[in-house]
């Protein structure tokens, strides 16, 4: 099959979080399975150009209709660690992708509406006719709308869309100007409950809802979150829309790319190791301590890696730091916040804990340090409020770092409590799970993990090895996506 992924991120060239990992990892897996895969991405000024090989102009002066006129774009082409990618660079006074950041501008809905339109225009003009367009999150929710309402009449009648939702919280709320800019026009047609009208705001369009309504298949990134999105509040108002479209909605658990996340051949860690010989892990712990100026003592080291966002359970992350220190463990946090209140809160904590020899807070985005933390830590906490899939616990398992997670979303599908899991045998369990959102729930899970590390080190090592034995590669999810593509293709 010929598959084109249209997305706002692809690791490592454009990565704000897990979306980038998934777009890259899934594309590689599909290529290994013999499919032809291409990516269309925005050409941001701040992307990691050092991760693109052979960047060259592929299409000059692509004229993208926009409002009554057109925006002229150049399309560049290059390889991101073996993956062929097209980058769209608009030449307009709006400077859509020259903002010094990926997201967070007040006109994000216009930036990505433009990107969706430009991606389709590029496919049309360059005579590319993929079997499948795979779109991700609200940024590309307009692609199936434009395809079905416009582009199918220009010779793209055989293309089918799979739409993957990585986070229901951000839905792309827009006004009528999106319709006039993209040429969809007909306000009264689109401001309709059955189409793009937001389920709660009668004056707004919802781009993610458009993706759900118009795509041929819709999924989120774990089976449990697919259930939660329909029946609990984490669908952020789209539960009823999912209910209406339940026949084409499901959950496919993410994988991780074992060529990127593999302690046996990770270039970012000084001491490779494997489940058969864990001695390198202890050396990485030492290297991590040296790098972050932590003292080298016989204590467990607990980590948190992730966006500092309300989604990730910030009050519990905060409590985990102090509870670990109270219990004579060490704590390392790597994260960045876009929300100013959370940002200043954690900068305050960082200053407060700066001279503590058992704790380090690294505020910012640092891919290389993330690898060393996964390799050097003993445990990783993921106390999320909600979590569509979660990659940090899965990467943790692969690196022999025991996850301590809250039992929500994809965390339920990937982590099985060592002491209490109702379905897994003791030999199949791989971490610790708590359910409530209060400090005591987190403490009880952390205490059980730290207790095992301190009092029963052999048992702890067994748990580490059981976690490393899990296969969370793209192999199985790749097969599932392939099945979905086959189901919807013409
Ligand atoms: N400061 C930092 N420095 C370096 N690396 C950092 C970092 N902060 C995060 N990362 C990395 O970014 C990724 C984050 O993965 P998550 O699963 O937490 O994704 P996120 O919540 O962004 O995305 C959403 O999409 C993904 C993919 O579908 C879902 O798993 C998830 O539940 C959903 O919320 C990991 O690779 C992690 O190592």
């Amino acid at each position: 099959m010929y598959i084109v992924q249209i997305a706002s991120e692809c690791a490592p060239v454009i990565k704000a979080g897990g979306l980038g990992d998934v777009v890259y990892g899934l594309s590689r897996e599909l290529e290994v399975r013999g499919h032809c895969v291409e990516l269309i991405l925005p050409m941001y000024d701040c992307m990691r150009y050092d991760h693109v090989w052979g960047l060259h102009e592929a299409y000059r002066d692509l004229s993208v209709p926009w409002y009554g006129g057109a925006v002229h774009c150049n399309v560049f082409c290059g390889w991101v660690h073996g993956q062929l990618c097209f980058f769209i660079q608009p030449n307009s006074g709006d400077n859509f992708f020259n903002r010094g950041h990926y997201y967070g501008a007040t006109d994000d809905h216009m930036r990505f509406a433009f990107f969706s339109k430009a991606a389709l225009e590029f496919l049309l003009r360059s005579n590319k006719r993929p079997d499948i367009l795979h779109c991700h999150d609200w940024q590309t929710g307009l692609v199936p709308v434009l395809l079905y309402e416009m582009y199918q009449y220009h010779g793209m009648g055989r293309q089918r869309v799979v739409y993957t939702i990585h986070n229901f919280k951000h839905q792309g709320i827009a006004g009528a100007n999106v319709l006039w800019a993209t040429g969809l026009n007909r306000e009264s047609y689109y401001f309709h409950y059955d189409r793009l009208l937001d389920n709660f705001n009668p004056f707004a369009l919802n781009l993610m809802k458009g993706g759900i309504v118009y795509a041929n298949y819709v999924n989120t990134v774990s089976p449990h979150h697919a259930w939660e999105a329909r029946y609990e509040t984490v669908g952020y108002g789209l539960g009823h829309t999912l209910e209406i479209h339940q026949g084409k909605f499901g959950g496919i658990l993410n994988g991780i790319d074992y060529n990127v996340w593999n302690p046996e051949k990770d270039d970012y860690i000084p001491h490779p190791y494997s489940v058969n010989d864990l001695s390198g892990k202890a050396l990485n712990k030492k290297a991590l301590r040296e790098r972050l100026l932590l003292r080298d003592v016989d204590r467990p080291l607990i980590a948190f890696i992730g966006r500092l966002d309300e989604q990730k359970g910030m009050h519990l992350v905060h409590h985990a730091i102090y509870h670990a220190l109270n219990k004579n463990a060490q704590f390392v946090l790597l994260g960045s916040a876009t929300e100013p209140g959370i940002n200043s809160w954690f900068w305050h904590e960082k200053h407060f804990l700066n001279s503590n020899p058992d704790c380090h807070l690294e505020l910012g985005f640092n891919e290389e340090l993330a690898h060393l933390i996964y390799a050097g830590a003993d445990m990783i906490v993921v106390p999320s409020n909600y979590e569509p899939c979660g990659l940090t616990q899965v990467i943790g398992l692969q690196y022999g770092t025991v996850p301590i997670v809250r039992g929500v979303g994809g965390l339920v599908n990937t982590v099985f409590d060592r002491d209490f899991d109702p379905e897994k045998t003791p030999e199949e369990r791989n971490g610790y799970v708590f359910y409530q959102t209060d400090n005591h729930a987190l403490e009880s899970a952390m205490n059980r993990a730290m207790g095992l590390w301190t009092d029963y080190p052999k048992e702890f090592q067994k748990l580490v090895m059981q976690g490393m034995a899990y296969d969370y590669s793209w192999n199985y999810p790749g097969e599932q996506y392939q099945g979905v593509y086959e189901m919807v293709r013409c």
Side-chain angles (χ1 to χ4, degrees):
M1 266 179 285
Y2 176 19
I3 299 145
V4 168
Q5 304 230 31
I6 306 176
S8 55
E9 293 181 36
C10 170
V13 61
I14 306 164
K15 174 168 168 174
L19 169 62
D21 288 307
V22 169
V23 169
Y24 178 80
L26 174 60
S27 301
R28 299 309 293 156
E29 173 66 27
L30 293 167
E31 285 220 329
V32 168
R33 290 174 172 273
H35 304 292
C36 171
V37 184
E38 294 172 353
L39 268 63
I40 303 181
L41 303 159
M43 188 145 172
Y44 302 97
D45 56 350
C46 54
M47 67 187 203
R48 292 279 306 264
Y49 283 85
D50 55 325
H51 285 292
V52 192
W53 280 263
L55 192 66
H56 64 277
E57 202 173 62
Y59 197 107
R60 181 171 296 189
D61 213 13
L62 175 75
S63 173
V64 179
W66 191 243
Y67 286 108
V71 171
H72 293 272
C73 300
N74 291 329
V75 183
F76 289 81
C77 167
W79 283 264
V80 173
H81 297 265
Q83 181 57 54
L84 183 61
C85 297
F86 293 94
F87 298 93
I88 294 184
Q89 183 189 57
N91 303 310
S92 98
D94 287 315
N95 278 322
F96 283 129
F97 307 128
N98 297 333
R99 306 289 180 88
H101 49 76
Y102 301 135
Y103 312 121
T106 48
D107 63 343
D108 272 2
H109 56 291
M110 294 309 281
R111 297 168 68 213
F112 291 103
F114 177 80
F115 171 62
S116 300
K117 173 92 182 168
L120 282 166
E121 200 62 30
F122 170 58
L123 292 172
L124 179 72
R125 301 289 161 208
S126 56
N127 280 324
K128 289 178 181 289
R129 296 293 183 270
D131 299 296
I132 299 293
L133 303 180
H134 192 156
C135 304
H136 300 265
D137 269 351
W138 74 264
Q139 290 87 346
T140 52
L142 218 46
V143 169
V145 183
L146 287 162
L147 181 71
Y148 188 80
E149 297 285 1
M150 294 174 83
Y151 284 81
Q152 69 157 325
Y153 303 111
H154 301 295
M156 294 182 69
R158 293 179 64 81
Q159 280 55 58
R160 294 292 175 265
V161 181
V162 173
Y163 183 52
T164 299
I165 296 171
H166 301 259
N167 198 334
F168 280 97
K169 187 171 177 193
H170 307 287
Q171 301 181 357
I173 301 302
N177 49 351
V178 160
L179 301 176
W180 297 112
T182 55
L184 287 167
N185 305 333
R186 295 190 288 165
E187 276 191 39
S188 57
Y189 179 75
Y190 293 106
F191 273 87
H192 189 286
Y193 190 81
D194 293 343
R195 298 190 184 88
L196 270 70
L197 181 67
D198 187 72
N199 290 352
F200 292 97
N201 183 345
F203 306 106
L205 297 171
N206 183 317
L207 303 187
M208 181 173 276
K209 180 174 169 182
I212 297 170
V213 171
Y214 281 86
N216 301 93
Y217 187 81
V218 183
N219 75 295
T220 187
V221 287
S222 69
H224 190 61
H225 193 63
W227 181 89
E228 290 173 335
R230 272 175 67 183
Y231 299 116
E232 294 188 346
T233 54
V234 291
Y236 285 92
L238 287 173
H240 187 238
T241 307
L242 295 172
E243 194 68 16
I244 293 170
H245 294 279
Q246 59 180 287
K248 60 170 188 181
F249 175 64
I252 299 180
L253 191 68
N254 284 334
I256 54 169
D257 188 330
Y258 278 13
N259 286 316
V260 176
W261 299 109
N262 185 343
E264 286 181 56
K265 55 176 186 185
D266 186 332
D267 289 339
Y268 290 132
I269 66 173
H271 306 285
Y273 61 97
S274 71
V275 68
N276 301 319
D277 178 7
L278 281 165
S279 53
K281 185 152 175 75
L283 297 173
N284 287 313
K285 183 171 177 181
K286 210 172 159 57
L288 176 63
R289 282 172 164 161
E290 271 169 23
R291 163 126 184 221
L292 301 181
L293 305 177
L294 300 179
R295 63 178 157 171
D296 199 6
V297 280
D298 188 25
R299 292 180 180 192
L301 199 157
I302 304 176
F304 171 85
I305 300 176
R307 291 177 299 107
L308 301 178
D309 183 282
E310 194 229 336
Q311 173 192 345
K312 302 292 177 184
M314 292 326 301
H315 67 293
L316 288 179
V317 172
H318 177 259
H319 188 69
I321 300 171
Y322 287 94
H323 186 65
L325 295 176
N326 275 340
K327 291 281 174 185
N328 285 330
Q330 295 183 315
F331 202 97
V332 169
L333 175 143
L334 170 62
S336 55
T338 47
E339 208 265 296
I342 297 179
N343 190 40
S344 54
W345 176 22
F346 276 80
W347 272 104
H348 170 82
E349 295 299 336
K350 182 178 168 65
H351 288 134
F352 182 70
L353 292 163
N354 216 16
S355 54
N356 192 314
D358 292 320
C359 182
H360 182 90
L361 308 189
E362 183 75 20
L363 302 181
F365 194 92
N366 189 331
E367 183 79 24
E368 181 203 349
L369 179 59
H371 284 248
L372 184 59
I373 295 174
Y374 286 118
D378 297 299
M379 302 152 207
I380 185 156
V381 279
V382 193
S384 304
N385 276 326
Y386 72 94
E387 195 62 79
C389 176
L391 298 179
T392 62
Q393 83 284 7
V394 179
I395 301 171
L397 287 169
Q398 167 75 350
Y399 281 72
T401 304
V402 172
I404 304 169
V405 308
R406 183 152 173 260
V408 289
L411 300 167
V412 169
N413 295 123
T414 49
V415 180
F416 309 102
D417 193 282
R418 178 188 180 271
D419 302 324
F420 299 117
D421 195 275
E423 277 161 24
K424 300 283 180 190
T425 63
E427 291 72 34
E428 292 172 326
R429 299 176 188 174
N430 58 13
Y432 291 92
V433 185
F434 64 97
Y435 292 91
Q436 310 304 329
T437 50
D438 58 291
N439 291 347
H440 295 299
L442 169 74
E443 283 177 17
S444 78
M446 286 179 72
N447 290 350
R448 287 189 292 129
M450 291 186 286
L452 194 74
W453 188 94
T454 312
D455 300 332
Y456 303 97
K458 285 215 167 75
E459 287 296 311
F460 189 86
Q461 177 129 342
K462 209 171 126 198
L463 187 62
V464 164
M465 291 165 75
Q466 287 176 194
M468 292 178 86
Y470 266 83
D471 178 3
Y472 286 126
S473 69
W474 274 105
N475 185 23
Y476 184 57
E479 193 179 311
Q480 287 182 297
Y481 276 108
Q482 184 177 280
V484 167
Y485 299 158
E486 267 156 18
M487 183 176 75
V488 300
R489 74 185 287 202
C490 282

